[in-house]
Each structure stands twice: as structure tokens, then as C-alpha cells.
């Protein structure tokens, strides 16, 4: 809905939301999306629904890759015109409200949604498409169990028979979440495959509790031992550098972002944009323009070192980060502050063996937890007390930095908030 | 039967929420440091429990915990192992299911009866640093760990508390964990041995029958321990 058609209360709320966000930015208190959205929703609790009405919206959710996939999808849908998006990663309803209020009248929106809020945001925004990426362990000291999240998603979709779902055929949890939706009508779900490195959360079928069996010969295939949940045939697939569409046409994606996981994110974005009527051939070049996402993958030159920042928040994303990082000196930084979760046990779910043979430096609030983990993993390392010390300790050239959430933000701040 | 030390991780398909693999990796690593040949075996819940020298049981949610208890009760392999004085080290949900009963999904479930204790639900969830003075009979330095559970555990006369609580909740705010013979259970979850290398060595000594193990370089374990005990206000 365009702004001048909003109910008076919603219009006022949207205006307050924008003003608060602008004030917050001007006073250096962040990008303002959360505070702006919160104020707007206090004035009009249905503000998100009002702002969403009449727009064609895509939601992107999952444990990992949602910020990047949202950015890619917004770029792809951008072929059609301006796209409202929460590009600062404010992925709860306040952030969505703020993003839509800020965007004005554009009919297109692509919103990243925290997986816990998917049901609520589905209800408020009645999207055209929902992309479901993956589900894996993440901050289990407070997050919901993985199978429980899959059930919540499944229940949420049951209330929205008309939404089109783009879902990951490689993840049994995602397939369980979308399977009933797919079974209820032809063509309601588009399946994609991008290969899944992390499998430790999908040993057991979420439908019946039997084991998920995998075929040694075909690493991506899987099926429940009882046959009640089987990997669907994917329509969109990837190879090392290209996305293959449902007609079998190969679209080379010359991404600036590293790693096979980002080719998978590109495939998801192209599949979602396709539902908006954007052809993959038109959208693919747009993805190549994305250089970094909220500081992730950003490269900064300092003292002759080319520093690249990779964010890794949970075991699945660490495996992807090892795939992206070049075999160069690597700094690992671990914190366990509130946004990270206070528990570092997950370090033992990650196999750090791929780092053997590189110069490895460690830092962060919880560097000692990491030190013990690396020692047990036979990965030699050096502990440094600061980011500057790390930069000084490596030869000129590439320094890969892999950090969890607040550690990543600390290093970004050191590098003057690179974007 | 292999001559190498057999370290068996019980049902990682059901009981492996958060870094539980760490205890297996740490034991294997510390055995290797001492030149003790060791093999690790991961046993799925649809497989029979094999012969082992050390059995590890991890944490898990209610559903998998109840299922694991049923399958272990039917398998009887763990009972036979305890009878021949094999070593068992269990954390969280794994610890609870060694007892006589526990609560999962609101129902009382039969445990394996391998430790004289029972568990129920507490008024609050215990999440955070856990520390305590370990039973002097075991000759170990203070226990440090991270707990994340909603259970309370009540010890019977046949077991001794693993530790007296100095920080956190443990069993009930007073005691933490339990031990009897060569079976130890604790609420220190996930890779509990990463902060307690001396406890890892105790398990290895029990399993090998060695009186003492060669010293290991525990610089990083020691730094981690003092940092976490400091965070719990105990240094
Ligand atoms: Zn099944």
C-alpha cells in the first residue's frame, strides 16, 4: 500500500518510525531500524500489516545465510524497481516495520526474518514467496531445538496455503517444514539444492524419529529409513560457479562473495526472483555487484595486509567459513557475550582440521576455550591480545579473519565500520 | 577384542546437543599424549552397544533422552559394562538417565538404575557457570563447567556427590553430580573435560589401571580454568 492510502493512525506511526530512525542514526546510536520500528508499532500495533498491504513481498529465513540471501534477492528483484529491505540485519518485526516505513511506496520488498518470528511475519505481511534456507544448532542455551523450529515453520505454513515456498531439498529439517505445504497442492514449493556441509542436526527424521539414511555414492541424497520423508528432486541446482535453472539452463554467477555456500545463496535468490517474474539471466549480473553484506566478506587494506572479514556464528557457518577462507594466515576471534550466547561448548562441534598448515592466530574474550579446542584438534596457533597485534604478527598479504558475532563487530569497529 | 583403549560414545544420534563430542576427543587426545593406543567408536541408537573401556553419554532434549533410556534398557550392554567395572562418564540428560527415574515431556520415565538417584523438574532453569569442590576421595581440583538444564537430582545412599556446589545449581544448589565405582555423572554439560583435564585423566587411569599418567602440558587448560573460575567469582 502506498503511504497516502494508509489509515491515519498507521500513517502517523510510519512517520514517527522514520523520524526516530533518522534521529537514532544522526546521534550515532546505530542504524535506527529497531528503535524506529518499535516506536511506530507502539502507535499502531498493526503497522507492519498496514505497511505490507498491497506489496509483493519475499521473506527469507533460516539459521545461516539469510542476510546474504536477502541481499542477493533484493538485488535480483531490483531488476523490477526499488526494493524495500532490512539490509542492516534487523530481522524481527520492528526491523521489518522500519524497513517498509523507510522505503516509501515501492511495491517490492525482500525481508530477512529471524527463524523464530516466521509465523508472526507471515501473518502480518502475507508474502508472495517464503525462502526457507536451513535449520541447525545455534545458541542452544536459549534457542529452540532444531526439530521444534521445523515444526513451528510447518505449522506456520499450514495457515498460509497461498504462499509460495522456495525450500532447501538438502536439509531434512527444511523439507519436513515444507513437505505438507508441497503435498497440499501442485507447484506450491520450489526445491533448490546447494549442497549441505553440516549434517549433525539431521540424523533423526523429524517426522517419525527413525534414522535419516545417506547414500555414500551420492552425498546429497537422503531418505528416512521408513520412507516417510525423502529428499525431493530439486528444480534449481548449482555447480562450482553457476546456477542451473529448472529448464536446465546454466547461469554463470560471477560473485564477489567467496565460497560455494554463496553460489547456493545465489540460486535461492534467483529462484525467489523468478516468482516475481524476473528471469535468472537478467538477475544474475545483479548478484555480481554485491561486494559485502553488513561488513561480511569486506576487504580492508591496512599496513600492507589485505584483511578479509568472515562471520561464523555456529558450527554450520564455521564449516562454510573454512571453505571460503584462502590458505593464508587466519585470525580466529571468539566472544561469548549476550548476542553470541554464553556457552562456548559448540567449539567442539567444529572440526578445525582444515586450518592445519596455515598460520593461525586466536583472540577474543574466550580465546582460551578456543585454545584448548585447537590443541585437542592438533592445530598449532598463537594467542594475540588485540587485533593490532594480529596484524603485526602476519606477513604482508592476505589475513583472513573468522569471528563470531560480537567478536566480528569488535573487529569491524576497529576497522572503522567498514561496509 | 582390540588391545587399544576403546572409547565408546553412546548414541550421538540422540544425545549430542552441544559439543558433547568434545569429551571423546579430549580423552583420545590425552591417551595419545601418553602413548596409550586408543580407538573411538560412535554407536548409533539402532546398533548394539559394543565392548568398551570408557562409555560417554551426552546431553539431549526430552524426547531423545527418553528414547535413549528405553534403548539402553533393552540393550543391557551398559549394565554389563558397569558390572565389569568399565568407566562411564555421563553429562546432563545422560547423567539423569543413569538414575532410577527422570522426567521427560512431563512424564516420569524409568532410568537405567546404574546410579542410585532420581531426577525431577526444578522451579527454575539452571543456566550458567557451575563450579564445586570435588569429593576429596577422587583427589581432583575444583570442578568447573557450564550448566544448562531444568532438572533437579536427588541422590540416594549408594552414590556420593561428585562435588559440593560453589557456584551454580548442579543437582540442587548444594551438591553437583554423582559417582559410584567407576561411573560418574555431572550437570557440567557438553565438553566438560575441556575445563577438567584432571578428571579426564582420572577416567583414563580407571580404564587402564595405571596408578599415574605422564604429565601433560596443560598450559591452556589451566588458563581456561582460572579464567572461568574467576568468572564464577572463585579465584
Ligand atoms: Zn521418518
Amino acid at each position: 500500500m502506498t503511504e497516502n492510502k494508509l489509515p491515519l493512525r498507521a500513517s502517523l506511526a510510519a512517520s514517527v518510525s522514520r523520524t526516530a530512525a533518522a534521529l537514532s542514526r544522526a546521534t550515532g546510536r546505530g542504524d535506527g531500524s529497531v528503535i524506529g520500528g518499535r516506536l511506530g508499532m507502539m502507535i499502531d500495533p498493526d503497522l507492519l500489516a498496514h505497511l505490507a498491504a498491497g506489496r509483493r513481498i519475499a521473506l527469507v529465513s533460516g539459521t545461516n545465510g539469510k542476510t546474504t540471501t536477502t541481499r542477493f534477492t533484493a538485488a535480483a528483484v531490483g531488476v523490477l524497481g526499488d526494493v524495500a529491505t532490512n539490509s542492516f540485519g534487523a530481522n524481527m518485526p520492528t526491523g521489518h516495520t522500519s524497513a517498509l516505513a523507510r522505503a516509501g511506496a515501492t511495491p517490492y520488498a525482500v525481508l530477512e526474518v529471524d527463524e523464530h518470528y516466521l509465523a508472526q511475519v507471515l501473518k502480518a505481511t502475507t508474502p508472495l514467496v517464503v525462502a526457507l534456507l536451513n535449520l541447525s544448532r545455534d545458541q542452544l542455551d536459549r534457542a529452540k531445538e532444531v526439530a521444534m523450529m521445523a515444526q513451528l515453520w510447518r505449522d506456520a505454513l499450514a495457515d498460509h496455503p497461498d504462499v509460495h515456498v522456495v525450500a532447501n531439498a538438502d536439509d531434512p529439517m527444511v523439507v519436513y517444514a515444507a513437505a505438507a505445504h508441497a503435498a497440499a497442492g501442485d507447484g506450491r514449493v520450489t526445491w533448490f539444492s546447494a549442497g549441505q556441509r553440516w549434517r549433525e542436526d539431521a540424523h533423526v527424521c523429524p517426522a517419525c524419529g527413525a534414522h535419516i539414511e545417506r547414500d555414500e555414492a551420492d552425498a546429497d541424497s537422503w531418505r528416512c529409513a521408513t520412507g516417510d520423508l525423502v529428499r525431493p528432486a530439486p528444480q534449481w541446482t548449482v555447480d562450482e560457479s553457476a546456477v542451473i535453472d529448472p529448464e536446465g539452463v546454466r547461469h554463470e554467477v560471477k560473485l564477489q562473495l567467496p565460497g560455494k555456500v554463496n553460489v547456493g545463496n545465489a540460486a535461492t535468490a534467483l529462484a525467489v526472483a523468478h516468482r516475481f517474474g524476473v528471469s535468472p539471466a537478467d538477475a544474475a549480473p545483479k548478484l555480481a555487484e554485491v561486494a559485502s553484506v553488513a561488513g561480511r566478506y569486506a576487504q580492508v587494506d591496512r599496513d600492507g595486509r589485505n584483511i578479509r572479514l568472515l562471520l561464523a556464528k555456529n558450527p554450520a557457518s564455521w564449516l562454510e567459513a573454512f571453505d571460503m577462507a584462502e590458505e593464508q594466515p587466519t585470525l580466529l576471534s571468539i566472544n561469548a557475550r549476550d548476542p553470541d550466547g554464553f556457552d562456548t561448548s559448540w567449539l567442539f562441534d567444529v572440526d578445525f582440521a582444515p586450518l592445519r598448515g596455515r598460520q593461525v592466530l586466536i583472540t577474543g574474550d574466550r580465546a582460551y576455550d578456543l585454545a584448548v579446542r585447537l590443541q585437542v584438534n592438533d592445530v598449532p596457533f598463537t594467542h594475540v591480545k588485540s587485533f593490532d597485534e594480529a596484524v603485526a604478527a602476519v606477513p604482508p598479504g592476505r589475513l583472513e579473519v573468522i569471528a563470531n558475532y560480537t567478536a566480528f563487530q569488535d573487529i569491524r569497529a576497529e576497522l572503522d565500520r567498514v561496509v | 577384542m582390540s588391545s587399544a583403549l576403546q572409547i565408546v560414545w553412546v548414541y550421538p544420534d540422540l544425545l549430542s546437543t552441544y559439543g558433547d563430542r568434545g569429551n571423546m576427543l579430549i580423552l583420545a587426545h590425552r591417551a595419545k599424549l601418553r602413548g596409550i593406543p586408543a580407538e573411538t567408536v560412535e554407536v548409533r541408537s539402532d546398533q548394539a552397544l559394543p565392548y568398551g573401556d570408557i562409555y560417554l553419554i551426552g546431553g539431549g532434549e526430552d524426547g531423545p533422552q527418553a528414547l535413549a533410556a528405553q534403548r539402553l534398557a533393552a540393550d543391557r550392554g551398559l549394565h554389563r559394562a558397569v558390572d565389569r567395572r568399565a568407566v562411564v562418564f555421563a553429562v546432563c540428560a545422560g547423567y539423569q538417565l543413569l538414575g532410577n527415574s527422570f522426567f521427560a515431556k512431563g512424564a516420569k520415565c524409568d532410568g537405567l538404575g546404574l546410579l542410585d538417584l532420581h531426577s525431577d523438574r526444578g522451579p527454575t532453569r539452571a543456566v550458567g557457570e557451575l563450579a564445586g569442590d570435588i569429593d576429596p576421595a577422587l583427589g581432583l581440583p575444583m570442578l568447573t563447567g557450564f550448566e544448562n538444564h531444568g532438572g533437579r537430582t536427588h541422590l540416594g545412599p549408594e552414590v556420593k556427590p561428585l562435588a559440593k556446589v560453589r557456584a551454580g545449581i548442579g543437582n540442587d544448589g548444594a551438591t553437583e553430580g554423582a559417582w559410584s565405582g567407576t561411573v560418574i555423572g555431572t550437570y557440567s554439560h557438553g565438553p566438560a573435560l575441556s575445563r577438567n583435564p584432571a578428571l579426564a585423566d582420572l577416567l583414563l587411569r580407571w580404564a587402564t589401571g595405571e596408578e599415574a599418567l605422564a604429565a601433560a602440558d596443560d598450559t591452556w587448560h589451566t588458563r581456561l580454568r582460572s579464567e572461568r573460575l574467576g568468572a564464577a567469582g572463585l579465584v
Side-chain angles (χ1 to χ4, degrees), chain A residues 137-141 145 200 203-204 211 342-343 345-346 348-349 365-366 368-369 371-373 375-376 378 381 383, chain B residues 13 16-19 21-22 25-26 29 32 44-46 61 146 148 189 191 194-195 217 220-221 223-224 227-228:
Chain A
R137 62 187 69 185
D138 183 48
Q139 295 189 29
L140 284 185
D141 54 327
E145 178 188 359
E200 299 304 314
H203 289 301
V204 174
H211 282 102
F342 297 119
D343 184 5
S345 299
W346 58 269
F348 280 89
D349 290 326
D365 299 351
R366 298 301 290 271
Y368 294 157
D369 292 80
V372 168
R373 172 66 189 115
Q375 195 175 40
V376 171
D378 297 315
F381 61 90
H383 177 228
Chain B
D13 55 325
S16 168
T17 42
Y18 225 25
R21 176 181 296 277
L25 297 175
I26 290 164
H29 181 75
K32 196 178 79 183
R44 271 181 17 172
S45 59
D46 58 353
E61 303 288 334
F146 190 90
N148 182 3
H189 93 163
S194 66
R195 298 189 191 185
D217 176 3
W220 295 108
H221 287 284
R223 287 182 186 170
L224 173 60
E227 177 197 282
R228 298 330 298 162

Side-chain angles (χ1 to χ4, degrees), chain A residues 171 275 299 369:
Chain A
D171 187 333
R275 299 298 303 185
Q299 295 184 41
D369 292 80

Side-chain angles (χ1 to χ4, degrees), chain B residues 204-220:
Chain B
L204 290 174
R205 283 192 280 118
W206 279 352
T208 58
E210 300 283 336
E211 288 283 316
L213 300 174
D217 176 3
D218 282 334
T219 307
W220 295 108

